[in-house]
Amino acid sequence: MDNTPARHRAPVAAPAPAPQGPADGGHGREAYPYEALPLGTALADPDAATLPAALLPGGGWVQDPGLATLVAGGSAGTTAAWPAGEYLPSGPGAAFAGPPRDPAGLAAPAAPTVELPPAGPAGGRAQARRAARRRAFGPGGDGLRRLVPQALVVAFLAGGTSAFVASDKAVRLSVDGAPRTLHTFADDVAELLADEGLAVGGHDLVTPGPRQALASGDEVVVRYGRPLALALDDGQRRRVWTTARTVEEALRGFGVRAEGAYLSVPRAAPIPRTGLTLDVRTERTVTFMADGRERTIRTNAATVREAVEQAGIVLSGQDTTSVPPGSFPRDGQTITVLRITATREVREELIPYAVERVRDPGLFTGTEVVERQGRSGARRVTYALRTVNGVRQTPRKIAEEVVRDPVTQLVKVGTKPLPASVAGADDLDWDALARCESGGRPDAVDASGTYGGLYQFDPGTWQALGGRGVPQDAPAQEQTYRAKKLYVQRGSSPWPHCGRRLYR
């Protein structure tokens, strides 16, 4: 084995590039898969894919420009971009076929070439390359012995690279409708979201679930929840959550028909993460009964008053509706328009007088005498009259004024005990006389209005006997007492037709 340090070894000649053909994309070689390799790692000739990479210590062919930026020139920090189709040296000072595009402006050394025998019909280019390798490494086999440890290193690196590639996944991530493709080593959706700094809550939608394992080619969808302060038809505002990004999408998710509906914000308006306030009034069918006609309309009005205007019905004066004009018109509701006419009427009304009773010891018990006659007062009352759809309503008093005050009636009430009897008259049949004169009724009055009471006294006689007022107002006991006194004075002559009834 050659123990000379790599930096003191002479560069090994690299095999010359093979002719390019149109059928192989300009190179005529099978692409050799490799990742970015450390300085000094040997690259295999892409055409010799069956040979270990360590057998070509001089360099390799670049097939992918994205993998062609390696540390070159044997010194740390020096890089060169090697285009596809160029020969890439791997050792310090290694040659390459064709000048690379050196971004650092460094001149690359000229590439030593190796003579290759012409390809014959039997062996082809592969046989020629094997022959070139034998000549390049020499018959002694020292080059092969030097490359065995390198082959072990390359095999170790190749295994690690394979594991690295197997763990990497290409995943499509869509966040609120914005998709992007990324590479990740996350094992499941939750780990992917954590790596991307995406925090989700209970109102957010994640598909598939957070514990779902990831594989290359999977698609993960994240839709954030947005709060809506929603007032729907009835005016009651409630807080709901949606993952929709626009008002129209949210209404569709809630099952609300937006066609013909009133929306407080445009249908296409976006819903921010902080949410928004949305009033929705769907279209409804309302029937109006007005002026003997029926009218049915479709409306999204907020109040009955607005719906009446949309129906082309004019309310004037005190006209109104059978439901409050400011109420919400419900779907299928029938509303009657009330045509109201109003007038006023002034009426004169009596004010009843009061009665005051005063106790009088000069009057027999049961006797009442009107000392002052009462008089009714008067007042002027204003009423509001109205008709609803031609029907007169109950008048409503709206004002009153007193025109004349009432006069209180004064009545004296006797408290004097009646005498037990009248000498000379107690044994007569007074009941028979009363039945004959008045039918036995104490308040009886004749047709002329002159005589009254049980015994048909005229007022003058009654008062001469000590009576007050008129006889028909006195109690029956007092009337009988006064009749006995009259009999003692004049006998039965005051009763010319019924006087004989006194005698049994």
Side-chain angles (χ1 to χ4, degrees), residues 18-19 47 116-134:
D47 282 344
L116 296 177
R125 294 191 307 179
Q127 183 177 358
R129 286 195 296 271
R130 286 194 293 273
R133 293 188 191 96
R134 284 195 298 272

Side-chain angles (χ1 to χ4, degrees), residues 422-435:
V422 176
D426 291 337
D427 295 334
L428 300 177
D429 194 350
W430 294 102
D431 289 337
L433 178 61
R435 285 193 299 270

Side-chain angles (χ1 to χ4, degrees), residues 104 120 208 213 264 278 413 462:
S264 59
L278 176 61
V413 179
W462 175 260

Side-chain angles (χ1 to χ4, degrees), residues 229-251:
L230 179 63
L232 182 62
D233 283 347
D234 56 6
Q236 298 295 325
R237 193 168 301 281
R238 48 184 69 85
R239 183 180 176 90
V240 295
W241 286 83
T242 179
T243 58
R245 296 190 298 275
T246 65
V247 171
E248 183 175 18
E249 184 181 354
L251 294 179

Side-chain angles (χ1 to χ4, degrees), residues 136-191:
F137 297 138
D142 291 339
L144 182 61
R145 286 194 299 271
R146 289 195 302 270
L147 292 177
V148 169
Q150 298 180 20
L152 295 177
V153 173
V154 171
F156 173 77
L157 293 174
T161 301
S162 299
F164 180 85
V165 172
S167 298
D168 179 48
K169 306 171 188 68
V171 177
R172 182 181 176 86
L173 177 62
S174 176
V175 180
D176 274 343
R180 58 191 175 101
T181 301
L182 51 85
H183 287 264
T184 182
F185 296 99
D187 294 329
D188 55 25
V189 173
E191 188 175 349

Side-chain angles (χ1 to χ4, degrees), residues 17 22 123 155 158 182 347 421 438 446 463:
L182 51 85
R347 302 176 185 173
S421 64
S438 64
D446 75 336
Q463 293 175 3

